[in-house]
Amino acid sequence: MSSDGFRPLDEKLLVEYLKGTPSLAAKLGSQFDKLEIKEVGDGNLNFVYIVIGSSGAVVIKQALPYIRCIGESWPMTKERAYFEATTLQDHGRLCPAHVPEVYHFDREMCLIGMRYIEPPHIILRKGLIAGIEYPLLAEHISEYLARTLFYTSLLYLTTTNHKSAVAKYCGNVELCRLTEQVVFSDPYKVSEYNRWTTPYLDADAEAVREDSILKVEVAQLKSKFCERAQALIHGDLHTGSVMVTTDSTQVIDPEFAFYGPMGFDIGAFIGNLILAYFAQDGHAEKGTDRKLYKEWILKTISDTWNLFYRKFTALWDKNKDGPGEAYLPAIYNNPELQLLVQQKYMEDLFHDSLGFGAAKMIRRIVGVAHVEDFESIKEASKRADCERKALNFAKTLLKERKKFHNISEVVAAIEHLDK
Amino acid sequence: MSSDGFRPLDEKLLVEYLKGTPSLAAKLGSQFDKLEIKEVGDGNLNFVYIVIGSSGAVVIKQALPYIRCIGESWPMTKERAYFEATTLQDHGRLCPAHVPEVYHFDREMCLIGMRYIEPPHIILRKGLIAGIEYPLLAEHISEYLARTLFYTSLLYLTTTNHKSAVAKYCGNVELCRLTEQVVFSDPYKVSEYNRWTTPYLDADAEAVREDSILKVEVAQLKSKFCERAQALIHGDLHTGSVMVTTDSTQVIDPEFAFYGPMGFDIGAFIGNLILAYFAQDGHAEKGTDRKLYKEWILKTISDTWNLFYRKFTALWDKNKDGPGEAYLPAIYNNPELQLLVQQKYMEDLFHDSLGFGAAKMIRRIVGVAHVEDFESIKEASKRADCERKALNFAKTLLKERKKFHNISEVVAAIEHLDK
């Protein structure tokens, strides 16, 4: 046990901890000698235990004071558990249907006790690789995005409450710095951490590092990421942070949360769907060309943005006389003007989302952390073909994002490049 | 004396306080019975005492827990003294030539002891009304702006240091809220606080409130003001916050300081020079048509921006391998690319500055707080003519700011409107 009260938990300590914590013990029932315990974290970042008792189950997640990426160990504040817990609570209040409930948080132990998201929930990314359709995914994620982003922005909050929340989440700077490095910096320079499907993408990776226009654009997105406290964003909303069944969608792991640009969340999700799309040809086998599945992914991309647009502006309309101070009703005082400011706001948000989404795609192909969508394509040349298409699309999207007027044009551009 | 240790000072208490405070006593010399004390604050916002002793002088500024505007008393945290003191210290370290030295700060008493800016220094605004040329003004202010903004931005700071400073200054939210209201909101709606030269400008004030394009644009500036933590800005850099002689320029009163958009400071200064310009016809008398003086003001506007551009980018070049994390040298690794990112950055900053400058002009004509430049024009119809020109120019500038490519075009537009 370290001086600050932190102890990494093994199974034995875990059982003791559960016994001594009424809010968790109550969920599990009294038979502590019969608990079923499974460690499911990757062990590099966090411990994640599934604990199943006689009357219920919980997940225990404990942050460790480092992260490990391809063998390298980076020290990383375990305080991130605090920001993850408070975000799960804040976002959970705003969108309980799609955020797992927190039963317990222990700041000293960096430990969150939360809802066990039970089978048949799986990680969305794995579902996308398996070619499974989730008919409610766009509906659910757009609901999550609209509610969490709207209610933590100045469209709903007073500037007093907003600034106080911004100040609190400034404390999560180490996780922000990790994003700054791996998303906005490393892919655009020579870095020991970068990797790609070599030798096939060697020239492509080099082209990214030598693309001046791309680097000018990514600098602007990085500044926006660092400077613009627009809403409490999840901060890492890729398809590995979402658990799904055909009728449930649960957003997990908001340890990167802070007050940042909304487009970073929207873009992360859409960008990862586009990665999933371009990976499909690598998963196609005889008799399953994935053609219909690719269409479903494109439809889900469209639906996510369009439903988000509708839900977000509906929340705005509903709360236009609420506490939010960005657009005072006494100024934006007629329906045409209200429509005009919304259109402008949503247009900017759309372009931000495309830019951030593209940056998130690029870093998954030539940066440190790759995605299973591509990694699971065993044949390297086939994988490289898929990755190159995704990379080329992402570069265009990042550089030309302001030329797209709506999501249909984005989808059309994906289809065009995929021909 | 209130429970928190705060006591508003009268002259008697002041002398006691000075005796008991070595850092101030040392400046004044030992003859406390012969101190010359003058209260020069407006008494509505702060006490400001000039204290002259046998061996030197100090200014004592104490924040009061309210502000008063046209008879109305608004409660206003006296904690603003803390943000004023730390900004004087932070900016003072970065630009000692143009920021008065802080000798002493007492957080409980909300009291700053600082350099007495001695005669013949006067408030710049009064000099502009009197028609006095300040040949070094643009040189000095551009130096102040370049150094304070550059060194507190991500061009120089690590994101760790930047986020920590951002969090601290989030505490100055009450002063930010005052700006949000009086600059970005009240002028665009019916408000009991607004006033203008009536009846002459009644239609003009109404036109501001009914100008949808203007209101869409001002909303974007307001969002940027509330969300974008770009650098530690002064927050109220009009010509009343600057004291001058022909060879000295001192920036005072940064109680509105926080991490906000740089363009807000640059725009405040330039916008107030433009107000001074349009007020000149109201000050012209027989034999002094102020024509040459108006030319000097326009030259000062040009020089301020152009010198700022040169100094700011020179600091950037000099520190391109420094701690700043916005543009890593390994990415922005050749002179052409460095030039490209600087041009883009400065172009955005220019447009921000014009937008904020225009907003600051508008609020001085149809909002709560007016400027002596116009107020001192006794004849109302003449005053209204001057104000209308300034207002019309500001509206154009705010709406069309992105069409201006350089400051010469802005100056040309001023001259064109003034014909």
Side-chain angles (χ1 to χ4, degrees):
Chain A
M1 185 165 167
S2 73
S3 61
D4 66 354
F6 177 82
R7 305 172 293 180
L9 287 184
D10 56 22
E11 285 203 18
K12 187 162 162 287
L13 287 169
L14 174 63
V15 175
E16 271 177 39
Y17 190 92
L18 294 168
K19 276 187 194 168
T21 309
S23 59
L24 297 173
K27 292 276 167 197
L28 294 166
S30 53
Q31 296 178 276
F32 288 102
D33 50 339
K34 288 188 183 162
L35 292 178
E36 187 188 328
I37 299 178
K38 198 159 48 161
E39 214 283 297
V40 296
D42 57 10
N44 289 330
L45 193 72
N46 304 288
F47 286 134
V48 181
Y49 293 101
I50 294 169
V51 186
I52 300 174
S54 53
S55 64
V58 299
V59 159
I60 302 298
K61 181 172 179 179
Q62 185 179 37
L64 299 174
Y66 55 84
I67 61 162
R68 204 177 293 156
C69 273
I70 35 168
E72 283 291 320
S73 179
W74 293 353
M76 182 55 57
T77 175
K78 52 190 166 44
E79 264 291 277
R80 66 186 187 273
Y82 167 71
F83 296 104
E84 175 168 357
T86 55
T87 303
L88 284 170
Q89 287 163 339
D90 290 352
H91 282 179
R93 265 189 297 276
L94 298 172
C95 192
H98 304 301
V99 178
E101 188 184 346
V102 172
Y103 305 136
H104 172 75
F105 176 58
D106 181 335
R107 194 164 180 176
E108 276 201 337
M109 285 287 280
C110 308
L111 183 152
I112 305 170
M114 68 179 112
R115 176 185 159 190
Y116 169 47
I117 302 173
E118 72 291 345
H121 281 96
I122 59 169
I123 292 289
L124 171 58
R125 193 185 298 286
K126 291 184 187 291
L128 294 167
I129 294 167
I132 303 166
E133 293 190 14
Y134 296 97
L136 297 175
L137 179 62
E139 184 73 41
H140 289 169
I141 282 288
S142 62
E143 181 81 9
Y144 166 81
L145 287 168
R147 296 185 64 84
T148 59
L149 299 179
F150 177 82
Y151 283 111
T152 60
S153 77
L154 285 169
L155 298 175
Y156 185 76
L157 294 182
T158 63
T159 53
T160 305
N161 291 338
H162 187 259
K163 268 216 166 39
S164 134
V166 169
K168 173 173 123 175
Y169 280 93
C170 278
N172 206 16
V173 59
E174 282 198 40
L175 279 278
C176 289
R177 287 174 65 78
L178 186 59
T179 301
E180 291 157 24
Q181 178 179 345
V182 301
V183 176
F184 298 107
S185 298
D186 280 356
Y188 304 92
K189 69 186 187 67
V190 173
S191 160
E192 55 180 319
Y193 304 113
N194 290 341
R195 62 190 184 86
W196 53 81
T197 301
T198 189
Y200 307 96
L201 296 185
D202 289 1
D204 301 83
E206 193 185 354
V208 167
R209 295 194 302 269
E210 297 188 350
D211 188 331
S212 291
I213 304 301
L214 193 66
K215 295 202 281 187
V216 170
E217 292 296 329
V218 89
Q220 289 196 45
L221 292 170
K222 184 180 181 181
S223 289
K224 203 168 257 188
F225 180 82
C226 295
E227 294 172 349
R228 187 170 189 194
Q230 195 178 17
L232 178 57
I233 66 173
H234 178 285
D236 194 29
L237 191 61
H238 57 78
T239 51
S241 296
V242 181
M243 296 191 71
V244 284
T245 66
T246 46
D247 50 25
S248 165
T249 305
Q250 301 295 321
V251 176
I252 60 172
D253 292 348
E255 59 195 352
F256 284 81
F258 76 115
Y259 273 72
M262 295 178 180
F264 194 75
D265 273 4
I266 303 164
F269 188 74
I270 288 177
N272 274 269
L273 285 182
I274 302 175
L275 290 177
Y277 173 90
F278 282 111
Q280 292 302 318
D281 288 353
H283 305 314
E285 285 162 26
K286 250 184 202 151
T288 63
D289 65 5
R290 298 274 181 128
K291 212 170 153 220
L292 286 175
Y293 193 62
K294 286 167 76 174
E295 281 172 23
W296 175 80
I297 295 179
L298 293 182
K299 184 174 181 305
T300 301
I301 291 169
S302 282
D303 288 353
T304 297
W305 173 258
N306 289 332
L307 288 168
F308 169 77
Y309 192 115
R310 198 181 308 159
K311 287 164 196 253
F312 189 89
T313 52
L315 288 172
W316 189 341
D317 288 338
K318 190 180 138 199
N319 292 283
K320 73 182 168 52
D321 300 314
E325 293 183 313
Y327 297 86
L328 301 180
I331 303 174
Y332 302 92
N333 50 3
N334 66 66
E336 304 86 66
L337 184 52
Q338 175 77 359
L339 192 62
L340 199 61
V341 293
Q342 284 187 354
Q343 282 169 344
K344 187 83 196 80
Y345 191 100
M346 298 309 281
E347 185 191 338
D348 288 344
L349 182 50
F350 182 61
H351 293 148
D352 274 9
S353 301
L354 298 183
F356 287 121
K360 302 274 273 179
M361 291 175 67
I362 291 170
R363 73 98 157 200
R364 294 297 197 176
I365 298 165
V366 298
V368 55
H370 285 227
V371 289
E372 197 181 333
D373 308 66
F374 292 128
E375 297 298 286
S376 60
I377 301 169
K378 295 240 167 56
E379 197 186 313
S381 71
K382 196 198 256 186
R383 179 167 74 245
D385 289 345
C386 294
E387 290 176 322
R388 185 178 295 111
K389 278 188 186 175
L391 181 62
N392 287 337
F393 179 73
K395 285 165 64 176
T396 302
L397 193 62
L398 206 155
K399 291 193 269 192
E400 313 278 320
R401 64 191 184 278
K402 288 178 187 162
K403 294 185 183 153
F404 291 94
H405 300 96
N406 54 56
I407 196 74
S408 308
E409 292 178 6
V410 176
V411 165
I414 295 172
E415 288 177 312
H416 181 77
L417 190 143
D418 192 35
K419 257 184 208 150
Chain B
M1 184 166 167
S2 75
S3 62
D4 65 356
F6 177 82
R7 306 172 290 179
L9 287 185
D10 56 23
E11 285 202 18
K12 186 162 163 287
L13 287 169
L14 176 62
V15 175
E16 270 178 41
Y17 190 90
L18 293 169
K19 278 187 192 166
T21 310
S23 60
L24 297 173
K27 291 277 167 196
L28 294 166
S30 52
Q31 296 178 277
F32 288 102
D33 51 338
K34 289 187 182 163
L35 292 177
E36 187 188 329
I37 298 177
K38 197 160 48 162
E39 215 282 298
V40 295
D42 57 8
N44 289 331
L45 193 71
N46 304 289
F47 286 134
V48 181
Y49 293 102
I50 293 169
V51 185
I52 300 176
S54 52
S55 64
V58 300
V59 159
I60 302 296
K61 181 171 179 179
Q62 185 179 38
L64 299 174
Y66 55 83
I67 62 165
R68 203 178 294 154
C69 273
I70 35 170
E72 282 291 321
S73 179
W74 292 353
M76 183 55 58
T77 175
K78 53 189 164 49
E79 265 291 277
R80 67 185 186 275
Y82 167 70
F83 297 105
E84 176 169 357
T86 55
T87 303
L88 284 170
Q89 288 163 340
D90 291 350
H91 281 178
R93 265 189 298 276
L94 298 171
C95 191
H98 305 299
V99 178
E101 188 185 345
V102 172
Y103 305 136
H104 171 76
F105 175 59
D106 181 334
R107 194 163 180 176
E108 275 201 337
M109 286 287 281
C110 308
L111 182 152
I112 304 171
M114 68 180 112
R115 175 185 160 191
Y116 168 47
I117 301 173
E118 73 290 346
H121 281 96
I122 59 169
I123 291 289
L124 172 58
R125 194 185 298 284
K126 291 185 187 289
L128 294 167
I129 294 167
I132 303 167
E133 293 189 13
Y134 296 97
L136 296 175
L137 177 62
E139 184 73 41
H140 289 170
I141 281 289
S142 61
E143 182 80 10
Y144 166 82
L145 287 167
R147 296 186 64 85
T148 59
L149 298 179
F150 178 83
Y151 284 112
T152 59
S153 78
L154 285 168
L155 298 175
Y156 185 77
L157 295 181
T158 63
T159 52
T160 306
N161 290 338
H162 186 260
K163 270 216 163 42
S164 135
V166 169
K168 173 173 124 176
Y169 281 92
C170 278
N172 206 16
V173 59
E174 281 198 40
L175 279 279
C176 290
R177 287 174 65 77
L178 186 59
T179 301
E180 291 157 25
Q181 179 180 346
V182 300
V183 176
F184 298 107
S185 297
D186 280 356
Y188 304 92
K189 67 188 190 64
V190 173
S191 160
E192 55 179 318
Y193 303 112
N194 290 341
R195 61 190 187 85
W196 53 82
T197 301
T198 190
Y200 306 97
L201 297 185
D202 289 1
D204 301 82
E206 193 185 356
V208 167
R209 295 195 302 269
E210 295 188 351
D211 188 331
S212 291
I213 304 300
L214 194 67
K215 295 202 280 187
V216 170
E217 292 296 329
V218 88
Q220 290 197 44
L221 292 170
K222 184 180 182 182
S223 290
K224 202 167 258 189
F225 180 82
C226 295
E227 293 173 349
R228 186 169 189 196
Q230 196 178 16
L232 177 57
I233 66 174
H234 178 285
D236 195 27
L237 192 61
H238 56 78
T239 51
S241 296
V242 181
M243 295 191 72
V244 285
T245 67
T246 45
D247 49 26
S248 166
T249 305
Q250 302 295 322
V251 176
I252 60 172
D253 292 350
E255 60 197 350
F256 284 82
F258 76 114
Y259 273 73
M262 295 178 180
F264 194 75
D265 272 5
I266 303 165
F269 187 75
I270 288 176
N272 274 269
L273 286 183
I274 302 175
L275 291 177
Y277 174 90
F278 282 111
Q280 292 302 318
D281 287 355
H283 306 313
E285 287 163 23
K286 252 187 201 149
T288 62
D289 64 3
R290 297 273 181 129
K291 212 172 151 216
L292 287 175
Y293 193 63
K294 285 168 76 174
E295 280 172 25
W296 176 80
I297 295 179
L298 293 182
K299 184 174 181 306
T300 302
I301 291 169
S302 281
D303 288 353
T304 297
W305 172 258
N306 289 332
L307 288 168
F308 169 77
Y309 192 115
R310 200 181 307 160
K311 289 164 196 252
F312 190 88
T313 53
L315 288 172
W316 189 340
D317 289 337
K318 190 180 139 199
N319 292 283
K320 72 183 169 49
D321 299 315
E325 293 183 312
Y327 297 86
L328 301 180
I331 302 175
Y332 301 92
N333 49 4
N334 66 65
E336 304 85 68
L337 184 53
Q338 176 75 0
L339 192 62
L340 199 61
V341 293
Q342 284 187 354
Q343 283 169 344
K344 187 84 196 80
Y345 191 100
M346 298 309 282
E347 185 191 337
D348 288 345
L349 182 50
F350 182 61
H351 293 147
D352 274 9
S353 301
L354 299 183
F356 286 122
K360 301 274 272 180
M361 291 174 68
I362 292 169
R363 73 97 155 199
R364 294 296 195 176
I365 299 165
V366 298
V368 56
H370 286 226
V371 288
E372 198 181 333
D373 308 66
F374 292 128
E375 297 298 285
S376 59
I377 302 168
K378 297 239 166 54
E379 197 187 315
S381 71
K382 196 199 256 186
R383 179 167 73 245
D385 288 345
C386 294
E387 289 176 322
R388 184 180 295 110
K389 277 187 186 176
L391 180 62
N392 287 337
F393 179 74
K395 284 166 65 175
T396 302
L397 194 61
L398 206 156
K399 290 192 269 192
E400 312 278 323
R401 63 190 184 279
K402 287 176 189 163
K403 294 186 184 154
F404 290 94
H405 300 95
N406 53 57
I407 195 75
S408 309
E409 291 178 9
V410 176
V411 166
I414 295 172
E415 288 177 311
H416 181 76
L417 191 143
D418 192 35
K419 258 183 209 151

